[in-house]
């Protein structure tokens, strides 16, 4: 699972590749990042000093992903 991978390898992870999955298709907006994954990814990003790769194939998906990521980070701050 994602939690185990982050825990076991957190000091060795230098790049994090992110994208959402929608209707079985990957490389979608982060707005489609599964809720359980958000609960692991967002806290990990707080202390992460490596690179984050958003592999998306259009400007619209990138803009939507950046907005979604900003919202996820803000919501995590409220908790």
């Amino acid at each position: 699972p994602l939690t185990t991978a982050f825990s076991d390898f957190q000091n060795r992870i230098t790049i994090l590749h992110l994208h959402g999955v929608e209707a079985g298709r990957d490389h979608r907006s982060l707005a489609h990042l599964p809720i359980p994954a958000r609960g692991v990814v967002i806290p990990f990003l707080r202390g992460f000093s490596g690179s984050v790769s958003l592999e998306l194939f259009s400007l619209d998906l990138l803009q939507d992903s950046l907005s979604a990521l900003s919202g996820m980070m803000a919501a995590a701050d409220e908790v």
Side-chain angles (χ1 to χ4, degrees), residues 48-61:
F48 186 59
S49 61
S51 299
V52 177
S53 168
L54 301 180
E55 189 171 2
L56 307 160
F57 301 119
S58 77
L59 181 58
D60 287 342
L61 289 174

Side-chain angles (χ1 to χ4, degrees), residues 5 21 23 26 37 47 50 52 56 58 60 64 66 75 79:
V21 177
D26 61 359
V52 177
L56 307 160
S58 77
D60 287 342
D64 191 53
L66 292 174
V79 174

Side-chain angles (χ1 to χ4, degrees), residues 4-59:
T4 303
F6 281 171
S7 175
D8 290 351
F9 300 106
Q10 65 183 345
N11 295 327
R12 295 178 59 198
I13 298 171
T14 60
I15 186 165
L16 189 61
H17 170 102
L18 293 176
H19 56 75
V21 177
E22 179 184 25
R25 295 183 61 208
D26 61 359
H27 302 106
R28 309 309 293 166
S29 167
L30 286 180
H32 300 288
L33 188 66
I35 300 294
R38 293 177 190 191
V40 177
V41 170
I42 299 305
F44 180 81
L45 286 174
R46 290 273 179 229
F48 186 59
S49 61
S51 299
V52 177
S53 168
L54 301 180
E55 189 171 2
L56 307 160
F57 301 119
S58 77
L59 181 58

